[in-house]
Amino acid sequence: MNGRTDRLTGDPLGDRAPGERADAARNRARVLAAARTLFADGDPRSVTMEDIARAAGVGRATLYRRYPDPASIAQALLDEHERDLQQRMMSGPPPLGPGAPPAERLAAFYAAMVDLLEQHLPLVLGAEVGPARFATGAYGFWRAHVRALLAQAAAPQVDALVDVLLAPLAPDVYQYQREQRRRTPEQIAAALRTLAAGVLDGG
Amino acid sequence: MNGRTDRLTGDPLGDRAPGERADAARNRARVLAAARTLFADGDPRSVTMEDIARAAGVGRATLYRRYPDPASIAQALLDEHERDLQQRMMSGPPPLGPGAPPAERLAAFYAAMVDLLEQHLPLVLGAEVGPARFATGAYGFWRAHVRALLAQAAAPQVDALVDVLLAPLAPDVYQYQREQRRRTPEQIAAALRTLAAGVLDGG
DNA sequence: CTAGCAAGTGGACGCGGCGTCCGAATGGGT
DNA sequence: ACCCATTCGGACGCCGCGTCCACTTGCTAG
């Protein structure tokens, strides 16, 4: 029918929803681009809706139409990366994907998460507002994954252990280790590998 | 020549600092009492300076004289409990105090922290504002303690493991497990015991 | 006992972000 | 070219913050 010309080739989250108006799509792209910049250079926790609106050249109500707060904008920017990781966990090559023993898969998951945190720390910090972290769909996914690995390895205390094992991946813990403790991503990943081995192999 | 020493550290309702005026002491007691109530029944994270001032029957500037924000008031209320725990860790009976093998002491520390969280969760949540948790003196103490235990047990990755092992004690992780996951303090403590054993005994 | 002074107090003020509302503009189908 | 639904964005009221300053209170020296 209507061959819609996709003129927004540089658009971060390219595709626009069916029936979305052209100006809406354009503004959404502007908002996301501006937000990405703002979160990246500055304190991600203190980015305000007004900041984003001004940087995007858009009214504040336009922002509120789609996003309730800065955190959800950061979340939108993170989504594609998280989805990608989820894909690799479900159907990628081992040890991250299926096929490796649970302890190795857990270690690989830790390594992948460290990678994600390292590459997008500002966004992750911006997306984390208090207990909101646990409410994300992503947390539920990590949770289900790790829980399955624990069950597969016949670990004790499966249900209670899951959140304990996910706790070190909290963004501010990572930030603290990187910036206050001057630890490298490799050191952090190594410690998490030790943890995975201790819980799933030893003990 | 009054050698007055302003103690900006709010100590809980008890004695008053030397040279502190009677009205100041009375107000400080009022403030702490009011704050304790407010943090306890309501969302600890949304307690505001104005709330506390109103509940205490005190002007806002009076609050700001001693405490920069609600979090530091919660911290003041927590201090005595944390000090007590620190005392038991340093010179109390084993397994929490010295004398037990590291793995058992770590498990005992976890149990004691779960106890503290369980009894004072509202205060702990109120005292935790973002990355402020790591800046607390208390965190440094827990950190040094766990680090010593790890070193004593000749664990690998000592420095990087410390913060990983402390992460599950983050107040919002605990709250999530209790309120969303409906887990009992015993279950949480058991999972942490498993963790301690896995890292220090096994692995 | 009184007077003086410094510490303590609290109401008022300006600032900035929040979230919403409504008149204006814009887009896309007819 | 028209029309209506959707979207836009400036403006508004609200609330909490943090500070300032004029007033009050407690302590102490004379």
Side-chain angles (χ1 to χ4, degrees), chain A residues 6 8 11-18 20 25 28:
Chain A
D6 202 359
L8 303 171
D11 188 341
L13 295 177
D15 40 10
R16 67 198 222 207
E20 186 183 31
R28 200 186 42 179

Side-chain angles (χ1 to χ4, degrees), chain A residues 75 77-86 88-89 109-124 138 142 169 174 185:
Chain A
Q75 189 58 51
L77 287 168
L78 267 180
D79 263 5
E80 54 179 334
H81 304 292
E82 288 184 341
R83 265 186 241 287
D84 173 61
L85 175 53
Q86 290 174 12
R88 281 183 288 141
M89 284 163 57
F109 166 69
Y110 274 145
M113 285 297 286
V114 165
D115 214 58
L116 185 70
L117 285 165
E118 184 63 24
Q119 283 184 27
H120 305 289
L121 187 56
L123 285 184
V124 184
W142 314 142
L169 296 175
Y174 189 80

Side-chain angles (χ1 to χ4, degrees), chain B residues 169-180:
Chain B
L169 297 174
D172 43 4
V173 172
Y174 189 80
Q175 185 190 28
Y176 171 73
Q177 292 184 100
R178 289 287 282 125
E179 296 177 7
Q180 306 297 314

Side-chain angles (χ1 to χ4, degrees), chain A residues 21-23 48-50 60-61 64 68:
Chain A
R21 268 171 46 169
D23 53 348
T48 163
M49 286 299 249
E50 185 154 7
R60 294 196 309 120
Y64 278 106

